[in-house]
């Protein structure tokens, strides 16, 4: 649990508003207090932590401080919010801040240490917000004692310094470090790859790897392999559950498993839809040095056993043209696959991996 004193909730409110609406705003924004309170509660690991931090009382105190500083202006027609003195809505003004610029003495103190750079912010004074300066102070204080600190994960250091475990992995956090000339290594932070779920059948060299986007297909394929049966004609030495997009970053873990990727053929199968094609396109481009291909025999069985195509449960973003072209080129080796791909695109429909369940694939091998 995190414990806050004094202006703790005020700082958290400020941080959330600037995260959402940025420190530089060209227009004012209407802030609904009930929505803002829910967002603030969401920044805590547990809702009980919000209560322990003072709950509605401290939330109201923090908001009133921001009003007193001119950061927020109450809407004249807004109603009272719950049992507090707050109004139900406020205006967040354009380029608002509780102070106009950073102290020259503070900037010189940080610059004299030569631990980080402030050139960007000196050249862009409109970006000098109270929130950003608080981040700079935290980084500065950390770097002064960095030699005595140990390496932790990026997410752990992000929570320690910025109160948000994901911030250093997001664009805003990456941009901030770049602007002040600091690296993750300077912060004694490392990126830990998430280990993918896998099964290795052979005791010898791994020559064939089959990656599945979805877990149900992975599980069915594993049952077949354990029985010594091929998977749609493929005999993999290793199975990997890609877990959707995670495989794009986690495939690097093959090196740590000491799999000689230069000697292995890697086959990928996923849903026949925009996301499945996009994931493969990303993999193909990011791991251009690997012998990576679509598992065409599996896709052939997918279109052969699909009783019909399916609508998207929710609309997906179009697959980037370059990624779609990569898939198209590989599917072109099998005219039926290419024709099916074009039809799915035209009709905006999809075929999920689950059309090949364990029962279907087991009977394929018995035929």
């Amino acid at each position: 649990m995190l414990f806050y004193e004094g202006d703790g909730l005020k700082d958290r409110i400020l941080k959330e508003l600037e995260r959402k609406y940025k420190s530089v705003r060209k227009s004012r924004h209407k802030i609904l207090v009930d929505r803002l309170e829910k967002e603030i509660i969401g920044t805590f690991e547990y809702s009980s932590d919000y209560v322990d931090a003072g709950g509605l009382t401290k939330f109201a105190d923090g908001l009133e401080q921001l009003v007193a500083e001119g950061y927020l202006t109450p809407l004249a027609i807004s109603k009272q919010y719950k049992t507090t003195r707050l109004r139900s809505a406020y205006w967040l003004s354009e380029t608002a801040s509780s102070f106009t610029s950073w102290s020259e003495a503070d900037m010189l103190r940080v610059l004299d240490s030569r631990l980080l750079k402030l050139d960007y912010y000196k050249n862009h004074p409109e970006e000098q917000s109270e929130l950003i300066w608080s981040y700079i102070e935290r980084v500065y204080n950390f770097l002064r004692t960095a030699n005595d600190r140990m390496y932790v994960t990026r997410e752990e250091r992000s929570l320690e310094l910025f109160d948000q475990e994901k911030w250093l992995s997001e664009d805003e956090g990456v941009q901030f470090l770049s602007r002040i000339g600091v690296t993750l290594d300077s912060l004694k932070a490392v990126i830990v790859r998430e280990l993918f779920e896998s099964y290795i059948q052979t005791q010898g060299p791994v020559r064939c790897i089959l990656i599945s986007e979805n877990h149900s297909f992975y599980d069915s394929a594993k049952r077949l392999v354990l029985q010594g049966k091929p998977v749609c004609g493929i005999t993999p030495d290793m199975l990997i559950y890609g877990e959707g997009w995670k495989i794009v970053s986690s495939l690097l873990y093959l090196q740590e498993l000491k799999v000689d990727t230069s000697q292995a053929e890697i086959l990928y199968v996923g849903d026949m839809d925009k996301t499945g094609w996009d994931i493969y396109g990303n993999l193909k481009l990011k791991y251009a040095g690997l012998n990576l291909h679509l598992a065409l025999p599996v896709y052939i069985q997918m279109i052969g056993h699909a009783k019909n195509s399916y609508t998207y449960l929710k609309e997906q973003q179009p697959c980037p043209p370059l990624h779609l072209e990569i898939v198209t080129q590989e599917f072109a080796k099998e005219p039926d696959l290419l024709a099916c791909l074009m039809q799915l695109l035209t009709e905006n429909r999809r075929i999920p991996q689950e059309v090949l369940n364990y029962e279907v694939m087991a009977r394929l091998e018995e035929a």
Side-chain angles (χ1 to χ4, degrees), residues 269-284:
V269 61
D271 295 328
M272 292 185 70
D273 61 14
K274 299 168 190 175
T275 299
W277 301 324
D278 195 5
I279 293 171
Y280 178 70
N282 269 278
L283 278 173
K284 189 72 173 178

Side-chain angles (χ1 to χ4, degrees), residues 31-179:
I31 306 300
L32 299 178
V33 177
D34 61 340
R35 183 179 299 173
L36 177 61
E37 187 184 15
K38 290 176 183 176
E39 290 171 347
I40 295 302
I41 293 173
T43 65
F44 288 86
E45 184 175 4
Y46 303 104
S47 58
S48 60
D49 292 344
Y50 171 69
V51 176
D52 292 340
L56 179 60
T57 300
K58 289 297 184 182
F59 172 77
D61 290 345
L63 216 58
E64 287 180 337
Q65 289 178 54
L66 292 176
V67 171
E69 294 169 1
Y71 196 87
L72 296 171
T73 304
L75 266 70
I77 59 172
S78 58
K79 300 178 181 179
Q80 180 180 353
Y81 182 66
K82 295 183 178 179
T83 58
T84 69
R85 296 182 300 275
L86 298 176
R87 309 311 297 171
S88 60
Y90 291 82
W91 286 116
L92 173 64
S93 61
E94 62 275 11
T95 318
S97 180
S98 56
F99 66 104
T100 54
S101 62
W102 297 341
S103 160
E104 192 68 29
D106 285 340
M107 286 194 285
L108 286 174
R109 168 173 54 83
V110 170
L111 288 172
D112 284 346
S113 70
R114 298 187 179 183
L115 295 171
L116 45 78
K117 302 175 182 177
L118 296 179
D119 294 3
Y120 174 84
Y121 292 104
K122 292 178 71 175
N123 294 330
H124 297 82
E126 71 278 4
E127 295 278 1
Q128 294 183 17
S129 71
E130 182 179 10
L131 178 64
I132 293 298
W133 183 254
S134 72
Y135 287 170
I136 287 173
E137 284 279 18
R138 293 180 190 186
V139 171
Y140 166 71
N141 288 328
F142 176 88
L143 293 176
R144 291 172 60 198
T145 60
N147 289 337
D148 300 323
R149 300 300 299 272
M150 297 181 181
Y151 278 90
V152 298
T153 68
R154 174 183 59 189
E155 287 70 24
E156 290 168 337
R157 189 70 76 213
S158 183
L159 181 64
E160 175 191 346
L161 295 178
F162 308 106
D163 303 323
Q164 304 172 62
E165 66 271 23
K166 301 293 184 184
W167 198 70
L168 284 177
S169 63
E170 296 171 347
D171 291 343
E172 188 178 2
V174 172
Q175 184 182 66
F176 171 71
L177 290 190
S178 175
R179 286 174 175 177

